[in-house]
PDB file of all heavy atoms in Angstrom:
ATOM      1  N   TRP L   1       0.844  -1.181  -0.001  1.00 97.00           N
ATOM      2  CA  TRP L   1       0.009   0.004  -0.009  1.00 97.00           C
ATOM      3  C   TRP L   1       0.902   1.227   0.007  1.00 97.00           C
ATOM      4  O   TRP L   1       1.935   1.256   0.673  1.00 97.00           O
ATOM      5  CB  TRP L   1      -0.900  -0.011   1.237  1.00 97.00           C
ATOM      6  CG  TRP L   1      -1.626   1.260   1.481  1.00 97.00           C
ATOM      7  CD1 TRP L   1      -2.814   1.620   0.934  1.00 97.00           C
ATOM      8  CD2 TRP L   1      -1.236   2.323   2.345  1.00 97.00           C
ATOM      9  NE1 TRP L   1      -3.168   2.853   1.407  1.00 97.00           N
ATOM     10  CE2 TRP L   1      -2.221   3.307   2.289  1.00 97.00           C
ATOM     11  CE3 TRP L   1      -0.134   2.514   3.170  1.00 97.00           C
ATOM     12  CZ2 TRP L   1      -2.128   4.502   2.999  1.00 97.00           C
ATOM     13  CZ3 TRP L   1      -0.032   3.698   3.878  1.00 97.00           C
ATOM     14  CH2 TRP L   1      -1.050   4.678   3.792  1.00 97.00           C
ATOM     15  N   ARG L   2       0.474   2.260  -0.770  1.00 96.00           N
ATOM     16  CA  ARG L   2       1.194   3.532  -0.837  1.00 96.00           C
ATOM     17  C   ARG L   2       0.215   4.688  -0.784  1.00 96.00           C
ATOM     18  O   ARG L   2      -0.874   4.614  -1.333  1.00 96.00           O
ATOM     19  CB  ARG L   2       1.975   3.686  -2.139  1.00 96.00           C
ATOM     20  CG  ARG L   2       3.110   2.792  -2.302  1.00 96.00           C
ATOM     21  CD  ARG L   2       3.808   3.116  -3.630  1.00 96.00           C
ATOM     22  NE  ARG L   2       4.963   2.277  -3.869  1.00 96.00           N
ATOM     23  CZ  ARG L   2       5.830   2.467  -4.812  1.00 96.00           C
ATOM     24  NH1 ARG L   2       5.709   3.527  -5.615  1.00 96.00           N
ATOM     25  NH2 ARG L   2       6.826   1.669  -4.979  1.00 96.00           N
ATOM     26  N   ASN L   3       0.637   5.773  -0.174  1.00 96.00           N
ATOM     27  CA  ASN L   3      -0.084   7.032  -0.193  1.00 96.00           C
ATOM     28  C   ASN L   3       0.989   8.122  -0.247  1.00 96.00           C
ATOM     29  O   ASN L   3       1.591   8.450   0.781  1.00 96.00           O
ATOM     30  CB  ASN L   3      -0.980   7.184   1.068  1.00 96.00           C
ATOM     31  CG  ASN L   3      -1.843   8.427   0.965  1.00 96.00           C
ATOM     32  OD1 ASN L   3      -1.644   9.289   0.135  1.00 96.00           O
ATOM     33  ND2 ASN L   3      -2.764   8.551   1.882  1.00 96.00           N
ATOM     34  N   GLU L   4       1.220   8.668  -1.438  1.00 94.00           N
ATOM     35  CA  GLU L   4       2.350   9.573  -1.627  1.00 94.00           C
ATOM     36  C   GLU L   4       1.908  10.876  -2.254  1.00 94.00           C
ATOM     37  O   GLU L   4       1.037  10.914  -3.128  1.00 94.00           O
ATOM     38  CB  GLU L   4       3.401   8.900  -2.559  1.00 94.00           C
ATOM     39  CG  GLU L   4       3.940   7.617  -1.981  1.00 94.00           C
ATOM     40  CD  GLU L   4       4.913   6.913  -2.908  1.00 94.00           C
ATOM     41  OE1 GLU L   4       4.962   7.270  -4.094  1.00 94.00           O
ATOM     42  OE2 GLU L   4       5.614   6.004  -2.431  1.00 94.00           O
ATOM     43  N   ASN L   5       2.521  11.965  -1.819  1.00 93.00           N
ATOM     44  CA  ASN L   5       2.292  13.318  -2.363  1.00 93.00           C
ATOM     45  C   ASN L   5       3.508  13.697  -3.183  1.00 93.00           C
ATOM     46  O   ASN L   5       4.657  13.600  -2.725  1.00 93.00           O
ATOM     47  CB  ASN L   5       2.071  14.319  -1.227  1.00 93.00           C
ATOM     48  CG  ASN L   5       0.820  14.011  -0.441  1.00 93.00           C
ATOM     49  OD1 ASN L   5      -0.226  13.696  -1.001  1.00 93.00           O
ATOM     50  ND2 ASN L   5       0.913  14.100   0.861  1.00 93.00           N
ATOM     51  N   TRP L   6       3.261  14.183  -4.411  1.00 91.00           N
ATOM     52  CA  TRP L   6       4.330  14.554  -5.325  1.00 91.00           C
ATOM     53  C   TRP L   6       4.105  15.974  -5.828  1.00 91.00           C
ATOM     54  O   TRP L   6       2.962  16.349  -6.093  1.00 91.00           O
ATOM     55  CB  TRP L   6       4.417  13.599  -6.496  1.00 91.00           C
ATOM     56  CG  TRP L   6       4.847  12.236  -6.098  1.00 91.00           C
ATOM     57  CD1 TRP L   6       4.048  11.197  -5.718  1.00 91.00           C
ATOM     58  CD2 TRP L   6       6.202  11.761  -6.040  1.00 91.00           C
ATOM     59  NE1 TRP L   6       4.785  10.092  -5.424  1.00 91.00           N
ATOM     60  CE2 TRP L   6       6.125  10.413  -5.603  1.00 91.00           C
ATOM     61  CE3 TRP L   6       7.435  12.336  -6.272  1.00 91.00           C
ATOM     62  CZ2 TRP L   6       7.236   9.629  -5.412  1.00 91.00           C
ATOM     63  CZ3 TRP L   6       8.559  11.546  -6.081  1.00 91.00           C
ATOM     64  CH2 TRP L   6       8.454  10.213  -5.648  1.00 91.00           C
ATOM     65  N   ASP L   7       5.169  16.730  -6.011  1.00 88.00           N
ATOM     66  CA  ASP L   7       5.087  18.022  -6.644  1.00 88.00           C
ATOM     67  C   ASP L   7       5.305  17.835  -8.151  1.00 88.00           C
ATOM     68  O   ASP L   7       6.169  17.040  -8.570  1.00 88.00           O
ATOM     69  CB  ASP L   7       6.184  18.982  -6.108  1.00 88.00           C
ATOM     70  CG  ASP L   7       5.889  19.421  -4.701  1.00 88.00           C
ATOM     71  OD1 ASP L   7       4.690  19.436  -4.299  1.00 88.00           O
ATOM     72  OD2 ASP L   7       6.851  19.716  -3.969  1.00 88.00           O
ATOM     73  N   VAL L   8       4.528  18.575  -8.960  1.00 85.00           N
ATOM     74  CA  VAL L   8       4.724  18.567 -10.413  1.00 85.00           C
ATOM     75  C   VAL L   8       5.449  19.853 -10.750  1.00 85.00           C
ATOM     76  O   VAL L   8       4.995  20.949 -10.453  1.00 85.00           O
ATOM     77  CB  VAL L   8       3.350  18.508 -11.148  1.00 85.00           C
ATOM     78  CG1 VAL L   8       3.580  18.514 -12.651  1.00 85.00           C
ATOM     79  CG2 VAL L   8       2.585  17.273 -10.695  1.00 85.00           C
ATOM     80  N   ARG L   9       6.625  19.745 -11.377  1.00 86.00           N
ATOM     81  CA  ARG L   9       7.471  20.899 -11.656  1.00 86.00           C
ATOM     82  C   ARG L   9       7.739  21.076 -13.136  1.00 86.00           C
ATOM     83  O   ARG L   9       7.758  20.119 -13.887  1.00 86.00           O
ATOM     84  CB  ARG L   9       8.802  20.758 -10.911  1.00 86.00           C
ATOM     85  CG  ARG L   9       8.616  20.671  -9.411  1.00 86.00           C
ATOM     86  CD  ARG L   9       9.934  20.455  -8.701  1.00 86.00           C
ATOM     87  NE  ARG L   9       9.669  20.235  -7.311  1.00 86.00           N
ATOM     88  CZ  ARG L   9      10.190  20.938  -6.348  1.00 86.00           C
ATOM     89  NH1 ARG L   9      11.017  21.924  -6.630  1.00 86.00           N
ATOM     90  NH2 ARG L   9       9.924  20.672  -5.094  1.00 86.00           N
ATOM     91  N   ASN L  10       7.972  22.308 -13.505  1.00 84.00           N
ATOM     92  CA  ASN L  10       8.311  22.654 -14.875  1.00 84.00           C
ATOM     93  C   ASN L  10       9.838  22.835 -14.939  1.00 84.00           C
ATOM     94  O   ASN L  10      10.365  23.841 -14.468  1.00 84.00           O
ATOM     95  CB  ASN L  10       7.626  23.947 -15.282  1.00 84.00           C
ATOM     96  CG  ASN L  10       7.870  24.307 -16.730  1.00 84.00           C
ATOM     97  OD1 ASN L  10       8.644  23.638 -17.403  1.00 84.00           O
ATOM     98  ND2 ASN L  10       7.246  25.379 -17.182  1.00 84.00           N
ATOM     99  N   PHE L  11      10.535  21.838 -15.507  1.00 84.00           N
ATOM    100  CA  PHE L  11      11.990  21.894 -15.566  1.00 84.00           C
ATOM    101  C   PHE L  11      12.497  22.629 -16.799  1.00 84.00           C
ATOM    102  O   PHE L  11      13.662  22.825 -16.964  1.00 84.00           O
ATOM    103  CB  PHE L  11      12.545  20.462 -15.550  1.00 84.00           C
ATOM    104  CG  PHE L  11      12.437  19.787 -14.227  1.00 84.00           C
ATOM    105  CD1 PHE L  11      11.358  18.952 -13.940  1.00 84.00           C
ATOM    106  CD2 PHE L  11      13.358  20.031 -13.228  1.00 84.00           C
ATOM    107  CE1 PHE L  11      11.246  18.342 -12.706  1.00 84.00           C
ATOM    108  CE2 PHE L  11      13.279  19.433 -11.999  1.00 84.00           C
ATOM    109  CZ  PHE L  11      12.198  18.560 -11.728  1.00 84.00           C
ATOM    110  N   SER L  12      11.577  23.034 -17.695  1.00 82.00           N
ATOM    111  CA  SER L  12      12.018  23.704 -18.924  1.00 82.00           C
ATOM    112  C   SER L  12      12.254  25.192 -18.708  1.00 82.00           C
ATOM    113  O   SER L  12      12.746  25.864 -19.590  1.00 82.00           O
ATOM    114  CB  SER L  12      10.988  23.477 -20.045  1.00 82.00           C
ATOM    115  OG  SER L  12       9.746  24.074 -19.694  1.00 82.00           O
ATOM    116  N   SER L  13      11.876  25.709 -17.562  1.00 77.00           N
ATOM    117  CA  SER L  13      12.049  27.148 -17.304  1.00 77.00           C
ATOM    118  C   SER L  13      13.017  27.323 -16.150  1.00 77.00           C
ATOM    119  O   SER L  13      13.203  26.444 -15.317  1.00 77.00           O
ATOM    120  CB  SER L  13      10.694  27.801 -16.973  1.00 77.00           C
ATOM    121  OG  SER L  13      10.197  27.272 -15.748  1.00 77.00           O
ATOM    122  N   ALA L  14      13.645  28.497 -16.100  1.00 78.00           N
ATOM    123  CA  ALA L  14      14.531  28.835 -15.012  1.00 78.00           C
ATOM    124  C   ALA L  14      13.971  30.099 -14.353  1.00 78.00           C
ATOM    125  O   ALA L  14      13.667  31.069 -15.062  1.00 78.00           O
ATOM    126  CB  ALA L  14      15.937  29.051 -15.509  1.00 78.00           C
ATOM    127  N   PRO L  15      13.757  30.138 -13.090  1.00 82.00           N
ATOM    128  CA  PRO L  15      13.972  29.043 -12.145  1.00 82.00           C
ATOM    129  C   PRO L  15      12.868  27.981 -12.285  1.00 82.00           C
ATOM    130  O   PRO L  15      11.804  28.251 -12.836  1.00 82.00           O
ATOM    131  CB  PRO L  15      13.886  29.735 -10.785  1.00 82.00           C
ATOM    132  CG  PRO L  15      12.976  30.911 -11.005  1.00 82.00           C
ATOM    133  CD  PRO L  15      13.251  31.351 -12.410  1.00 82.00           C
ATOM    134  N   ILE L  16      13.156  26.786 -11.801  1.00 81.00           N
ATOM    135  CA  ILE L  16      12.224  25.669 -11.869  1.00 81.00           C
ATOM    136  C   ILE L  16      10.995  26.005 -10.995  1.00 81.00           C
ATOM    137  O   ILE L  16      11.129  26.342  -9.835  1.00 81.00           O
ATOM    138  CB  ILE L  16      12.859  24.359 -11.413  1.00 81.00           C
ATOM    139  CG1 ILE L  16      14.035  24.041 -12.352  1.00 81.00           C
ATOM    140  CG2 ILE L  16      11.858  23.231 -11.358  1.00 81.00           C
ATOM    141  CD1 ILE L  16      14.907  22.891 -11.865  1.00 81.00           C
ATOM    142  N   ALA L  17       9.836  25.935 -11.626  1.00 80.00           N
ATOM    143  CA  ALA L  17       8.616  26.317 -10.908  1.00 80.00           C
ATOM    144  C   ALA L  17       7.734  25.105 -10.622  1.00 80.00           C
ATOM    145  O   ALA L  17       7.635  24.189 -11.426  1.00 80.00           O
ATOM    146  CB  ALA L  17       7.813  27.313 -11.752  1.00 80.00           C
ATOM    147  N   THR L  18       7.073  25.134  -9.463  1.00 83.00           N
ATOM    148  CA  THR L  18       6.112  24.099  -9.130  1.00 83.00           C
ATOM    149  C   THR L  18       4.787  24.487  -9.737  1.00 83.00           C
ATOM    150  O   THR L  18       4.252  25.573  -9.471  1.00 83.00           O
ATOM    151  CB  THR L  18       5.964  23.958  -7.592  1.00 83.00           C
ATOM    152  OG1 THR L  18       7.232  23.602  -7.031  1.00 83.00           O
ATOM    153  CG2 THR L  18       4.949  22.895  -7.224  1.00 83.00           C
ATOM    154  N   VAL L  19       4.207  23.638 -10.575  1.00 84.00           N
ATOM    155  CA  VAL L  19       2.973  23.964 -11.278  1.00 84.00           C
ATOM    156  C   VAL L  19       1.768  23.285 -10.666  1.00 84.00           C
ATOM    157  O   VAL L  19       0.647  23.524 -11.068  1.00 84.00           O
ATOM    158  CB  VAL L  19       3.072  23.641 -12.792  1.00 84.00           C
ATOM    159  CG1 VAL L  19       4.108  24.510 -13.458  1.00 84.00           C
ATOM    160  CG2 VAL L  19       3.364  22.167 -13.006  1.00 84.00           C
ATOM    161  N   GLY L  20       1.999  22.375  -9.720  1.00 86.00           N
ATOM    162  CA  GLY L  20       0.881  21.681  -9.092  1.00 86.00           C
ATOM    163  C   GLY L  20       1.395  20.578  -8.193  1.00 86.00           C
ATOM    164  O   GLY L  20       2.576  20.429  -7.962  1.00 86.00           O
ATOM    165  N   SER L  21       0.419  19.821  -7.684  1.00 89.00           N
ATOM    166  CA  SER L  21       0.804  18.688  -6.831  1.00 89.00           C
ATOM    167  C   SER L  21      -0.101  17.502  -7.155  1.00 89.00           C
ATOM    168  O   SER L  21      -1.160  17.676  -7.772  1.00 89.00           O
ATOM    169  CB  SER L  21       0.701  19.084  -5.363  1.00 89.00           C
ATOM    170  OG  SER L  21      -0.639  19.422  -5.054  1.00 89.00           O
ATOM    171  N   LEU L  22       0.319  16.361  -6.732  1.00 91.00           N
ATOM    172  CA  LEU L  22      -0.398  15.134  -7.066  1.00 91.00           C
ATOM    173  C   LEU L  22      -0.340  14.209  -5.874  1.00 91.00           C
ATOM    174  O   LEU L  22       0.720  14.020  -5.248  1.00 91.00           O
ATOM    175  CB  LEU L  22       0.279  14.481  -8.282  1.00 91.00           C
ATOM    176  CG  LEU L  22      -0.197  13.088  -8.685  1.00 91.00           C
ATOM    177  CD1 LEU L  22      -1.572  13.184  -9.319  1.00 91.00           C
ATOM    178  CD2 LEU L  22       0.790  12.477  -9.654  1.00 91.00           C
ATOM    179  N   ASN L  23      -1.470  13.590  -5.547  1.00 94.00           N
ATOM    180  CA  ASN L  23      -1.519  12.549  -4.538  1.00 94.00           C
ATOM    181  C   ASN L  23      -1.790  11.231  -5.238  1.00 94.00           C
ATOM    182  O   ASN L  23      -2.728  11.108  -6.013  1.00 94.00           O
ATOM    183  CB  ASN L  23      -2.612  12.835  -3.488  1.00 94.00           C
ATOM    184  CG  ASN L  23      -2.772  11.676  -2.505  1.00 94.00           C
ATOM    185  OD1 ASN L  23      -3.627  10.848  -2.659  1.00 94.00           O
ATOM    186  ND2 ASN L  23      -1.893  11.643  -1.522  1.00 94.00           N
ATOM    187  N   MET L  24      -0.931  10.240  -4.967  1.00 94.00           N
ATOM    188  CA  MET L  24      -1.091   8.922  -5.573  1.00 94.00           C
ATOM    189  C   MET L  24      -1.308   7.904  -4.464  1.00 94.00           C
ATOM    190  O   MET L  24      -0.539   7.824  -3.530  1.00 94.00           O
ATOM    191  CB  MET L  24       0.146   8.557  -6.380  1.00 94.00           C
ATOM    192  CG  MET L  24      -0.042   7.302  -7.244  1.00 94.00           C
ATOM    193  SD  MET L  24       0.643   5.774  -6.636  1.00 94.00           S
ATOM    194  CE  MET L  24       2.309   6.095  -6.255  1.00 94.00           C
ATOM    195  N   GLN L  25      -2.414   7.161  -4.591  1.00 96.00           N
ATOM    196  CA  GLN L  25      -2.679   6.064  -3.672  1.00 96.00           C
ATOM    197  C   GLN L  25      -2.706   4.779  -4.474  1.00 96.00           C
ATOM    198  O   GLN L  25      -3.304   4.731  -5.556  1.00 96.00           O
ATOM    199  CB  GLN L  25      -4.018   6.265  -2.950  1.00 96.00           C
ATOM    200  CG  GLN L  25      -4.021   7.481  -2.053  1.00 96.00           C
ATOM    201  CD  GLN L  25      -5.369   7.680  -1.353  1.00 96.00           C
ATOM    202  OE1 GLN L  25      -6.242   6.819  -1.438  1.00 96.00           O
ATOM    203  NE2 GLN L  25      -5.486   8.794  -0.661  1.00 96.00           N
ATOM    204  N   ARG L  26      -2.042   3.756  -3.926  1.00 97.00           N
ATOM    205  CA  ARG L  26      -1.944   2.478  -4.641  1.00 97.00           C
ATOM    206  C   ARG L  26      -1.992   1.352  -3.657  1.00 97.00           C
ATOM    207  O   ARG L  26      -1.322   1.362  -2.617  1.00 97.00           O
ATOM    208  CB  ARG L  26      -0.642   2.408  -5.439  1.00 97.00           C
ATOM    209  CG  ARG L  26      -0.444   1.115  -6.207  1.00 97.00           C
ATOM    210  CD  ARG L  26       0.901   1.149  -6.929  1.00 97.00           C
ATOM    211  NE  ARG L  26       1.080  -0.002  -7.788  1.00 97.00           N
ATOM    212  CZ  ARG L  26       1.597  -1.156  -7.426  1.00 97.00           C
ATOM    213  NH1 ARG L  26       2.016  -1.319  -6.185  1.00 97.00           N
ATOM    214  NH2 ARG L  26       1.720  -2.161  -8.283  1.00 97.00           N
ATOM    215  N   SER L  27      -2.777   0.319  -3.950  1.00 98.00           N
ATOM    216  CA  SER L  27      -2.766  -0.901  -3.190  1.00 98.00           C
ATOM    217  C   SER L  27      -2.653  -2.066  -4.173  1.00 98.00           C
ATOM    218  O   SER L  27      -3.175  -1.991  -5.286  1.00 98.00           O
ATOM    219  CB  SER L  27      -4.043  -1.049  -2.348  1.00 98.00           C
ATOM    220  OG  SER L  27      -5.187  -0.929  -3.157  1.00 98.00           O
ATOM    221  N   ALA L  28      -1.914  -3.112  -3.762  1.00 98.00           N
ATOM    222  CA  ALA L  28      -1.663  -4.205  -4.688  1.00 98.00           C
ATOM    223  C   ALA L  28      -1.450  -5.506  -3.904  1.00 98.00           C
ATOM    224  O   ALA L  28      -0.938  -5.503  -2.804  1.00 98.00           O
ATOM    225  CB  ALA L  28      -0.434  -3.913  -5.554  1.00 98.00           C
ATOM    226  N   ILE L  29      -1.845  -6.598  -4.547  1.00 98.00           N
ATOM    227  CA  ILE L  29      -1.505  -7.938  -4.075  1.00 98.00           C
ATOM    228  C   ILE L  29      -0.974  -8.711  -5.261  1.00 98.00           C
ATOM    229  O   ILE L  29      -1.373  -8.468  -6.398  1.00 98.00           O
ATOM    230  CB  ILE L  29      -2.690  -8.669  -3.414  1.00 98.00           C
ATOM    231  CG1 ILE L  29      -3.868  -8.778  -4.401  1.00 98.00           C
ATOM    232  CG2 ILE L  29      -3.105  -8.007  -2.117  1.00 98.00           C
ATOM    233  CD1 ILE L  29      -4.973  -9.680  -3.899  1.00 98.00           C
TER     234      ILE L  29
END
C-alpha cells in the first residue's frame, strides 16, 4: 500500500517552478 504526495514541476524554465501537486494512492497484491 502507498499514499504519496508529489510536486509537479516545470523543468524547462529557470527558475524551476512548481505547477501543481499530485496525490497517488496504490494498493496491490
Side-chain angles (χ1 to χ4, degrees):
W1 170 84
R2 291 182 181 192
N3 185 349
E4 301 177 345
N5 296 318
W6 292 90
D7 290 333
V8 179
R9 298 177 186 236
N10 183 356
F11 288 96
S12 63
S13 65
I16 298 171
T18 300
V19 295
S21 61
L22 173 71
N23 173 263
M24 191 259 308
Q25 295 180 6
R26 180 182 186 270
S27 55
I29 58 170

